[in-house]
Amino acid sequence: MLREELYQATKKVFGLYGALFDLVAREVGMEKALALHVEAHERLGITAGKLIQEKLGKERPDLQKLGNILQESNLGIGIESELAGVTPTSIVFRNLRCPLYDGYRMGGLDDKKAETLCQRGAPAKLGSTLKLLN
């Protein structure tokens, strides 16, 4: 699949997710919906961590290699990012274009809600991935 087609497909999936999230938030309240959103991302992070573990085998990657794997993972769902820096204790990405955010907006969420989903979901997913890998 071409990069733009992947981006648009992912955006559509997250458009549906954004619309569903909005309905759930109206039904159960924003804080409960956000808690469920975080829990779902944590589960996804565990799955992602297991896939990365399979790819690495027993090898414990250095942060540069892990950064490359995470960037490849981003590209696999249409997130265009660049590895902005790697230090002995951190990996920094600069996201250039994100189909999740654009999908949330397409699903009817305003900028603030879309940003909140990103700020709560991404760290939860990455945190559970890294915890599994550690």
Side-chain angles (χ1 to χ4, degrees):
M1 184 179 287
L2 298 173
R3 184 175 286 187
E4 186 60 27
E5 290 172 332
L6 176 62
Y7 187 90
Q8 293 301 323
T10 302
K11 179 178 150 183
K12 289 174 186 172
V13 169
F14 280 88
L16 177 60
Y17 179 86
L20 177 62
F21 179 87
D22 192 42
L23 293 171
V24 170
R26 289 180 195 185
E27 189 70 26
V28 304
M30 182 59 79
E31 285 310 309
K32 178 66 176 172
L34 284 171
L36 293 169
H37 174 76
V38 166
E39 184 179 338
H41 276 75
E42 287 170 344
R43 288 182 183 188
L44 243 126
I46 292 167
T47 301
K50 288 177 182 176
L51 291 172
I52 292 171
Q53 277 182 328
E54 287 177 18
K55 187 178 260 191
L56 293 171
K58 297 203 182 282
E59 176 187 348
R60 184 179 173 117
D62 62 29
L63 288 184
Q64 180 67 48
K65 184 170 185 172
L66 182 58
N68 292 338
I69 290 169
L70 292 172
Q71 184 177 22
E72 181 182 308
S73 179
N74 280 348
L75 287 172
I77 60 169
I79 298 173
E80 296 176 13
S81 63
E82 59 186 33
L83 192 54
V86 177
T87 72
T89 59
S90 69
I91 303 169
V92 177
F93 286 96
R94 182 176 302 114
N95 288 336
L96 307 171
R97 191 165 84 136
C98 180
L100 284 70
Y101 179 85
D102 290 344
Y104 297 151
R105 295 286 292 130
M106 186 174 89
L109 300 179
D110 61 28
D111 283 328
K112 183 177 179 185
K113 286 179 185 172
E115 187 175 323
T116 298
L117 290 182
C118 294
Q119 289 174 343
R120 301 267 183 104
K125 179 183 175 196
L126 187 58
S128 61
T129 297
L130 295 176
K131 186 175 181 179
L132 185 72
L133 292 174
N134 197 12

